[in-house]
Amino acid sequence: KLCKQYFPVDILSKILSINVDLQTDATLQVDISDALSERDKVKFTVHTKSTLPNFKQNEFSVVRQHEEFIWLHDSFVENEEYAGYIIPPAPPRPDFDASREKLQKLGEGEGSMTKEEFTKMKQELEAEYLAIFKKTVAMHEVFLCRVAAHPVLRKDMNFHVFLEYNQDLSVRGKNKREKMEDFFKNVVKSADGVLVAGVKDVDDFFEHEKTFLLEYHNRVKDASSKSDRMIRSHKNAADDINRIASTLYTLGTQDSTDVCKFFLKVSELFEKTRKIEARVAADEDLKLADLLKYYLRESQAAKDLLYRRGRALVDYENANKALDKARAKNKDVLQAETSQQVCCQKFEKISESAKQELIDFKTRRVAAFRKNLVELAELELKHAKGNLQLLQSCVGVLKGDT
Amino acid sequence: MDPSLSASDIASSTKPLSEASSPPVMDLLSEPASEASSAPMVDLLMEPASEGSSAPMVDILSEPASEASSAPMLDLFMEPASEASSGPMMNLLMEPASDDLKEPPKPDIDPLADILNDTPLSEVKTPVAAMPQETPSDLFDDEPSELFAEPRQSNTAKQQQTSIFDEPDEDLFSEPLGEASKKPQNDFFKEALAPVAKASNVCGPLSDNYNEHPTDIFTEEAMTTLPSAVSTVSVNSKTNGVHSDEEEPDIFAEATVELSLDSPRNDRKKKEAAKPSASAPAPSVSASASKPQPKTLEELEEEVEDKFELNISITNPEKVGDGMNAYMAYKVSTQTTLPMFRSKTFTVRRRFSDFLGLYEKLSDKHTPNGYIVPPPPEKSIMGMTKVKVGKEDNSSAEFVERRRAALERYLQRVVFHPSLLQDPDVREFLERDDMPRAHNTQALSGAGFLKMINRATDSLSKMTIKMNESDVWFEEKLQEVEAEDQQLRKLHIMVDSLVGHRKELSVNTGGFAKSVAMLGSSEDNTALSRALSQLAEVEDKMEQLHQEQAASDSFCFAELLADYIRLLGSVRASFDQRMKTWQRWQDAQNMLQKKRETEAKLLWANKPDKLQQAKDDITEWEAKVTQYERDFDRVSATVRKEVLRFEKEKACDFKKQIIKYLESLLQSQQQLIKYWEAFLPEAKAIA
């Protein structure tokens, strides 16, 4: 049943508020207007509105899959031109496996539970599935919006193809060999990263950013996993309350004394409070865990930028040394000079844009945290007040009954 | 019968006084009467009224007596137990209470008297009909202030409450008891010619509802306390019907003392003619009661009062000894004004196995009669081993506290049971300093092994007994109990899981709080950094909140369920007991049948030498059949009564505990709101 599901546009209102204060303008607006979940893939309808002359039309839509988003992201990363920019982090792979598995288990256990329990469980799972789905879509949308808002990346040819070309981009997933290559590249890169990070930066700004980002990334990683754990146990507690409500209901229906009304009333209350409790967990997930997760990836992207700059700096310094050596030996001086100049240019180019990028990163981060934390507090308040009201009226009624 | 005699004496010597006394009595009696066994009671009520004040009381006494006694016992204790007894009392409690509140208690005697005088019978009745729905909480709210104003009455008033609702509300309890201890009843008994006010106090415990108005009235109007006293007897006889076994001579004597105490207050004013009618039923029933089983009634009367004069608490769990021989000792404190105890307050130290021993003793004695004996908490080798090893961590402290609370609830259930309280073992348990060590409670002891075998055979015979149930009520109730047992077990597992997840949530929230604090410290935007450390603080408080909530999930909810799963076991045991007695009766009938056949064969074979033996056998077995049938009827009646009592208590317990639980939830939501409200401006200040 969950294999194919359509979600109308209005549901996909911007759930994630990570892409706040992006300098969006009317010249290029991108959103995901629709999404279709199929057995093993999700199809996103990417909708573009633009006045840019390189597009044939002002408004158009194409269907894209997750792999195509990854291809776009990788093309940015591999492009030397963008070495000085924070590449917007790629959206995470849609992962419905856990929720599908649960649903399957539910189907197997259908015989062992009452009809009410089954329906309730199914509804729960479907809600969970829907939440994951929405989040996936939102994550993909955030990626596109970030690119569309970026002064340089928005002009990228690949991006335009991605938005406009109404056929399959026929990007394939990486094969085994390529994956192995990626793995080795990453190993080399991280080893190099340690090496590069150990080099004292000549610029205080970058030196400070480097120490900050290293620490920040680790801590946001920790916070993100801790928030996941917290939210998971919150969801479990809400599930327990749900089951308690059903059992109280059964108790209430089978009892012949006047306590039955009492049980039914309490069951009704728990049924409502558990919904709120589940909402609290879901909202914490959206406003807190997802924010942290996003900044985990974004800070990684910023770290990557610093790494590229650091690498360029090391290259530049090595070129300088090589030039000095060449001059001392008076051998291959011209070649060394050219190479030194190339390195210098590259480093300076990266430094120039990186500074602005890092400043922007901070601005974005502060704005996103503000928005999310305010919304989180407001939602927590809303739910707690709703809970309180339910409890108060229920206790009032019960006290009146006794 | 001393009480009945003295009652008639008083009545005949002072006819008008009966009128004065009537209103409260009427409240007491007319309600249960009309609601319960309507026929005989109504008669009782009406008759004296027509006879008026001139009629000798003795007549009234003797006449209804026969009627009352003829009324089927079952009906008597079934109905009042469930509705009647609670209804009218409530009414009494409610009305005067509120009236008293408005008026300063001491000086204004008239208004109270007016209330009594003016309210005609019909009026008194109507509120009862209307009131039963009124909540006890209201009662509780109204009462205390009044109680404090009039300390003497407080004892009785509070007793009544508890008696009516079977709610062992500790708050209410503790206070009256404190007061009670200052004015022990024994004192009153000694003063034969106590002032009226005091006398009224004495009879307070007897006539539950009565005293609400009385004291004021007594002082001026000199009301009869006697009828009220007697009236309680009648009420009790209804509620407690059959039970008879343990009889206490001292109690009996005391009852007489009380009644003679009443007599001096015979100089009373006259009242409206309508009132004697109410006073009549009381003596009548008492007289009737005195005939069939007088002692029982006195004793039962005692019981009903007793339970409200008893406050038991268990405190100071203390580890005694070291290593694996270590055990926990608890301080069992009793506060009581009951004369059956040697002093008003006393404390003993008991260890867990003593509690188990008490249960074994009570269970052995009372379960065969169909009583539901409250079970103690189970042994927990895991929990205790931890304590023994001496780990001073949270879980072992929690275990000790949980067990302490469970033992307290267990003991309170025992003493609130009217029949169990009378058991000398209970008294010994509460009072005796050098309690012999309870044996046979060890799981692996020889006796324990025997018990296990017994249980196994029991359950085997249970399966083999095929009872063709004649009473649908029992069949349905048993099914209900079994279904409930199943659901409660399920619920208990779920609540336990909730406790687990809530604890996990607390731990994980704590972890997150630390993590966010770290993140805040490395954040280089000042405002955001501050907001994050504020968020960490909020999460820190939430950790605490979740932990507290987990504790109340466990203490308020899970423990309640555990108690009732155990109690339902006892309920089932009482059903089993009834089945066993039925089986015994059936076996005896079969045996009798066989003996008769033997006799017939002998007659046929003309063997006169063996005939006499056969005839003797038949007589013997006939007697046995009659005896066993009576046993079965008695056990059935007890089971029915006990189950109704249990259901009432269960309803109260669940309501009280779950409301308490919901209130804990409510409080944590309030806290939550406070925390997030404080955080919101911090989040908004991020720039």
Side-chain angles (χ1 to χ4, degrees):
Chain A
K1 176 139 193 226
L2 289 179
C3 292
K4 231 174 189 193
Q5 257 176 342
Y6 248 119
F7 297 102
V9 188
D10 58 297
I11 296 181
L12 298 171
S13 57
K14 302 217 165 37
I15 308 165
L16 286 191
S17 32
I18 287 157
N19 55 337
V20 280
D21 296 344
L22 294 174
Q23 306 91 322
T24 44
D25 55 51
T27 54
L28 181 60
Q29 288 175 327
V30 183
D31 65 312
I32 293 176
S33 58
D34 228 347
L36 175 66
S37 166
E38 283 181 8
R39 181 165 289 282
D40 53 353
K41 59 192 167 198
V42 180
K43 287 182 170 172
F44 306 92
T45 307
V46 179
H47 170 247
T48 312
K49 253 171 129 178
S50 173
T51 53
L52 291 178
N54 23 357
F55 294 116
K56 286 181 211 107
Q57 288 164 295
N58 284 345
E59 194 171 349
F60 44 88
S61 294
V62 288
V63 174
R64 291 284 170 259
Q65 289 180 35
H66 173 72
E67 285 69 26
E68 292 165 319
F69 284 78
I70 299 300
W71 164 79
L72 181 61
H73 174 262
D74 289 351
S75 80
F76 290 147
V77 172
E78 281 154 20
N79 193 333
E80 281 284 316
E81 285 295 303
Y82 304 143
Y85 304 108
I86 296 177
I87 309 295
R93 231 184 75 76
D95 184 13
F96 301 113
D97 294 352
S99 138
R100 279 216 182 90
E101 209 173 289
K102 272 196 210 166
L103 198 74
Q104 203 174 350
K105 266 191 203 154
L106 179 73
E108 285 160 7
E110 191 174 350
S112 64
M113 51 183 111
T114 65
K115 207 179 167 196
E116 289 88 26
E117 281 174 329
F118 180 77
T119 334
K120 223 172 176 182
M121 287 273 280
K122 194 165 158 245
Q123 280 172 352
E124 244 171 81
L125 274 178
E126 278 170 358
E128 191 185 311
Y129 184 86
L130 183 66
I132 300 175
F133 185 84
K134 280 191 198 170
K135 259 166 63 171
T136 308
V137 173
M139 287 291 193
H140 286 76
E141 194 181 66
V142 165
F143 171 70
L144 294 182
C145 291
R146 279 268 284 120
V147 176
H150 196 277
V152 177
L153 297 179
R154 67 190 302 199
K155 293 174 192 142
D156 182 76
M157 270 312 294
N158 284 334
F159 182 47
H160 289 183
V161 169
F162 177 91
L163 293 179
E164 200 177 27
Y165 186 62
N166 63 359
Q167 308 272 307
D168 196 345
L169 292 175
S170 65
V171 277
R172 50 175 180 85
K174 288 176 175 169
N175 62 29
K176 237 180 201 169
R177 200 175 56 90
E178 283 166 326
K179 272 182 189 163
M180 281 299 279
E181 274 173 9
D182 274 1
F183 175 73
F184 282 120
K185 242 193 254 171
N186 275 330
V187 171
V188 172
K189 193 186 119 186
S190 50
D192 196 37
V194 175
L195 207 77
V196 167
V199 177
K200 176 98 174 87
D201 205 301
V202 284
D203 190 325
D204 280 347
F205 173 82
F206 286 106
E207 184 61 26
H208 170 260
E209 283 296 312
K210 194 171 72 188
T211 36
F212 162 72
L213 269 174
L214 272 177
E215 194 183 65
Y216 187 84
H217 179 73
N218 286 335
R219 292 192 170 166
V220 86
K221 193 179 194 170
D222 185 52
S224 166
S225 75
K226 293 280 165 58
S227 71
D228 275 351
R229 265 198 235 166
M230 176 177 80
I231 289 157
R232 207 180 312 128
S233 35
H234 209 143
K235 278 180 183 155
N236 286 339
D239 284 352
D240 288 332
I241 299 174
N242 186 22
R243 276 178 220 117
I244 288 169
S246 341
T247 314
L248 276 174
Y249 179 81
T250 322
L251 258 178
T253 47
Q254 74 185 19
D255 203 307
S256 68
T257 55
D258 66 331
V259 214
C260 71
K261 270 182 265 154
F262 182 80
F263 283 140
L264 289 179
K265 185 80 199 156
V266 177
S267 158
E268 193 191 317
L269 169 78
F270 282 170
E271 179 60 42
K272 285 179 188 155
T273 56
R274 75 99 189 168
K275 270 186 191 145
I276 294 186
E277 214 58 54
R279 281 298 302 276
V280 173
D283 284 337
E284 281 176 355
D285 200 12
L286 279 177
K287 299 296 169 197
L288 204 55
D290 284 352
L291 174 80
L292 292 170
K293 246 176 250 159
Y294 189 81
Y295 274 91
L296 172 63
R297 286 182 288 128
E298 180 96 37
S299 62
Q300 181 60 50
K303 261 175 71 188
D304 287 347
L305 168 63
L306 281 183
Y307 162 72
R308 289 192 295 268
R309 186 184 162 277
R311 183 74 252 164
L313 176 62
V314 171
D315 287 348
Y316 177 41
E317 279 172 350
N318 286 344
N320 271 337
K321 276 178 205 155
L323 179 61
D324 284 350
K325 232 183 238 173
R327 279 193 180 134
K329 289 181 182 169
N330 204 5
K331 199 178 153 195
D332 298 331
V333 178
L334 192 72
Q335 195 188 342
E337 263 178 358
T338 353
S339 126
Q340 188 258 1
Q341 264 175 11
V342 169
C343 284
C344 176
Q345 270 173 8
K346 190 182 170 192
F347 173 69
E348 272 169 2
K349 193 181 170 229
I350 291 178
S351 296
E352 193 190 312
S353 58
K355 196 162 189 170
Q356 192 53 48
E357 285 280 295
L358 289 170
I359 292 169
D360 285 351
F361 167 68
K362 188 170 163 179
T363 317
R364 271 203 314 275
R365 186 179 74 234
V366 171
F369 269 87
R370 181 184 194 274
K371 186 164 189 288
N372 277 271
L373 290 182
V374 167
E375 280 173 1
L376 173 72
E378 279 167 351
L379 284 167
E380 294 271 9
L381 275 173
K382 182 187 143 204
H383 295 322
K385 280 175 181 165
N387 251 338
L388 183 67
Q389 206 187 351
L390 282 174
L391 284 163
Q392 271 169 342
S393 72
C394 184
V395 167
V397 169
L398 292 180
K399 277 188 172 172
D401 275 353
T402 36
Chain B
M1 241 350 282
D2 288 12
S4 67
L5 272 177
S6 61
S8 60
D9 283 346
I10 299 152
S12 56
S13 61
T14 62
K15 3 170 187 169
L17 64 89
S18 60
E19 291 158 0
S21 64
S22 50
V25 178
M26 194 195 300
D27 286 345
L28 278 171
L29 278 180
S30 60
E31 296 321 319
S34 56
E35 274 183 44
S37 52
S38 51
M41 282 311 199
V42 171
D43 284 359
L44 292 174
L45 283 171
M46 298 320 295
E47 259 182 303
S50 59
E51 282 170 322
S53 55
S54 60
M57 277 308 232
V58 187
D59 283 0
I60 299 163
L61 285 173
S62 59
E63 232 198 277
S66 55
E67 277 174 295
S69 57
S70 65
M73 265 316 212
L74 266 181
D75 284 358
L76 277 173
F77 57 75
M78 291 288 305
E79 305 245 5
S82 56
E83 16 173 339
S85 64
S86 63
M89 308 226 174
M90 210 185 278
N91 167 30
L92 284 169
L93 282 173
M94 306 251 348
E95 279 204 294
S98 51
D99 285 335
D100 281 0
L101 276 177
K102 287 168 210 155
E103 254 93 47
K106 256 282 156 183
D108 293 274
I109 296 147
D110 293 23
L112 282 174
D114 284 356
I115 294 162
L116 290 171
N117 292 336
D118 294 350
T119 38
L121 221 159
S122 59
E123 265 189 54
V124 180
K125 272 186 184 174
T126 38
V128 178
M131 292 289 188
Q133 300 303 328
E134 292 290 7
T135 64
S137 55
D138 287 351
L139 282 173
F140 294 141
D141 291 342
D142 288 349
E143 272 217 327
S145 51
E146 192 219 349
L147 292 170
F148 301 140
E150 299 172 86
R152 286 193 184 161
Q153 282 174 315
S154 66
N155 289 341
T156 46
K158 286 191 175 166
Q159 283 168 236
Q160 294 153 18
Q161 272 184 351
T162 23
S163 78
I164 295 156
F165 305 109
D166 285 294
E167 275 224 16
D169 197 315
E170 272 118 340
D171 291 355
L172 287 170
F173 250 156
S174 54
E175 282 164 55
L177 281 166
E179 286 162 17
S181 58
K182 286 175 219 150
K183 298 220 164 217
Q185 251 175 316
N186 303 348
D187 293 355
F188 297 128
F189 291 124
K190 283 170 203 155
E191 301 170 88
L193 284 173
V196 184
K198 267 195 182 174
S200 74
N201 208 6
V202 174
C203 73
L206 288 175
S207 61
D208 295 334
N209 323 342
Y210 198 28
N211 292 332
E212 219 47 53
H213 350 198
T215 352
D216 299 304
I217 300 153
F218 280 156
T219 43
E220 240 203 14
E221 309 226 347
M223 282 187 49
T224 337
T225 12
L226 158 72
S228 73
V230 181
S231 73
T232 357
V233 178
S234 71
V235 169
N236 291 332
S237 74
K238 273 177 250 153
T239 39
N240 286 9
V242 166
H243 153 269
S244 67
D245 299 334
E246 315 106 38
E247 210 269 295
E248 311 276 342
D250 53 322
I251 294 163
F252 186 61
E254 185 200 302
T256 5
V257 174
E258 282 165 28
L259 287 166
S260 61
L261 243 185
D262 292 341
S263 53
R265 266 163 286 122
N266 285 346
D267 42 338
R268 267 142 206 166
K269 276 189 193 170
K270 287 200 176 182
K271 284 218 172 162
E272 293 162 355
K275 267 127 204 190
S277 67
S279 71
S284 68
V285 175
S286 84
S288 76
S290 67
K291 277 177 196 168
Q293 27 181 213
K295 289 172 185 176
T296 327
L297 284 175
E298 296 306 326
E299 186 199 347
L300 288 169
E301 164 192 326
E302 273 299 304
E303 287 166 15
V304 169
E305 299 150 26
D306 283 352
K307 59 178 169 179
F308 315 121
E309 301 230 3
L310 200 53
N311 183 26
I312 286 183
S313 59
I314 294 177
T315 49
N316 299 19
E318 221 174 66
K319 199 170 115 177
V320 178
D322 274 314
M324 283 323 276
N325 289 323
Y327 63 90
M328 294 300 293
Y330 303 85
K331 198 170 132 190
V332 180
S333 315
T334 313
Q335 280 187 308
T336 182
T337 53
L338 288 181
M340 63 186 256
F341 293 103
R342 267 172 292 194
S343 53
K344 284 161 273 169
T345 53
F346 42 88
T347 304
V348 288
R349 284 200 83 78
R350 294 280 177 262
R351 53 183 291 183
F352 183 66
S353 53
D354 296 335
F355 287 88
L356 293 186
L358 174 66
Y359 168 71
E360 293 297 343
K361 284 183 204 160
L362 292 178
S363 176
D364 287 350
K365 267 188 270 183
H366 298 281
T367 307
N369 292 323
Y371 284 98
I372 298 172
V373 180
E378 278 121 6
K379 267 192 155 238
S380 161
I381 292 169
M382 272 289 285
M384 204 48 215
T385 310
K386 249 186 188 169
V387 174
K388 277 175 181 167
V389 169
K391 267 202 212 154
E392 295 291 323
D393 65 341
N394 257 354
S395 73
S396 90
E398 201 187 299
F399 167 77
V400 169
E401 167 56 19
R402 188 195 305 272
R403 173 166 278 185
R404 184 206 62 77
L407 287 174
E408 191 174 87
R409 288 193 306 272
Y410 154 68
L411 209 52
Q412 278 166 353
R413 284 198 179 99
V414 169
V415 300
F416 291 153
H417 194 292
S419 312
L420 296 183
L421 177 60
Q422 292 306 317
D423 194 289
D425 282 326
V426 173
R427 212 180 315 167
E428 187 188 71
F429 182 85
L430 294 175
E431 253 182 340
R432 194 164 158 186
D433 280 329
D434 51 336
M435 180 93 166
R437 173 105 166 71
H439 296 291
N440 310 342
T441 56
Q442 301 284 312
L444 294 174
S445 70
F449 186 66
L450 274 180
K451 238 180 267 163
M452 242 161 64
I453 292 179
N454 281 339
R455 262 173 220 148
T457 32
D458 269 8
S459 54
L460 201 73
S461 64
K462 228 185 286 168
M463 277 187 284
T464 51
I465 296 177
K466 276 235 165 59
M467 187 168 178
N468 48 341
E469 183 63 81
S470 53
D471 197 330
V472 190
W473 187 88
F474 284 101
E475 207 176 341
E476 284 175 0
K477 267 288 173 251
L478 185 60
Q479 270 172 12
E480 224 174 74
V481 165
E482 272 163 2
E484 191 178 0
D485 185 53
Q486 203 188 345
Q487 291 305 317
L488 282 185
R489 275 168 201 279
K490 209 168 148 190
L491 193 58
H492 189 234
I493 291 169
M494 283 163 189
V495 175
D496 266 354
S497 150
L498 176 65
V499 172
H501 282 137
R502 198 99 77 174
K503 278 182 183 160
E504 202 181 286
L505 175 59
S506 169
V507 171
N508 289 338
T509 308
F512 179 64
K514 280 189 194 75
S515 194
V516 167
M518 293 296 279
L519 185 67
S521 72
S522 70
E523 171 61 58
D524 60 0
N525 177 294
T526 329
L528 179 53
S529 170
R530 209 186 47 225
L532 285 174
S533 59
Q534 290 294 320
L535 179 65
E537 263 179 48
V538 171
E539 298 290 349
D540 246 348
K541 288 174 190 158
M542 300 248 280
E543 175 194 6
Q544 192 59 32
L545 215 56
H546 290 312
Q547 201 181 327
E548 283 163 16
Q549 195 52 57
S552 79
D553 288 338
S554 165
F555 280 99
C556 293
F557 204 177
E559 285 290 277
L560 173 76
L561 297 171
D563 275 9
Y564 272 89
I565 289 167
R566 266 185 270 121
L567 276 165
L568 281 178
S570 293
V571 173
R572 289 169 78 159
S574 80
F575 275 101
D576 290 346
Q577 202 52 52
R578 178 174 167 272
M579 205 157 76
K580 268 198 218 158
T581 20
W582 181 83
Q583 185 61 40
R584 198 173 56 168
W585 171 35
Q586 297 303 307
D587 288 347
Q589 261 180 344
N590 289 339
M591 188 55 99
L592 178 61
Q593 191 58 38
K594 269 184 203 150
K595 297 286 176 201
R596 285 202 174 121
E597 280 164 15
T598 322
E599 188 199 21
K601 272 181 201 157
L602 287 174
L603 270 175
W604 182 253
N606 199 12
K607 286 183 183 163
D609 48 329
K610 287 183 185 167
L611 199 59
Q612 190 48 47
Q613 175 64 32
K615 277 197 168 123
D616 287 351
D617 280 356
I618 288 171
T619 345
E620 187 197 331
W621 280 98
E622 268 171 356
K624 274 187 183 164
V625 167
T626 328
Q627 175 60 37
Y628 292 164
E629 185 180 2
R630 215 180 285 145
D631 282 353
F632 174 67
D633 287 344
R634 184 173 51 84
V635 169
S636 296
T638 309
V639 169
R640 194 190 272 257
K641 190 187 82 185
E642 284 280 289
V643 167
L644 290 174
R645 182 181 180 278
F646 168 79
E647 278 178 347
K648 239 168 83 184
E649 222 156 62
K650 187 187 78 185
C652 285
D653 256 10
F654 267 95
K655 283 178 185 172
K656 203 179 103 191
Q657 282 298 313
I658 288 183
I659 286 176
K660 201 168 141 198
Y661 174 62
L662 294 182
E663 275 168 346
S664 78
L665 286 171
L666 205 146
Q667 261 178 2
S668 47
Q669 292 299 326
Q670 275 168 336
Q671 286 298 313
L672 214 63
I673 292 173
K674 238 168 62 187
Y675 298 154
W676 285 109
E677 261 168 0
F679 175 72
L680 191 55
E682 292 288 341
K684 282 183 174 160
I686 302 171

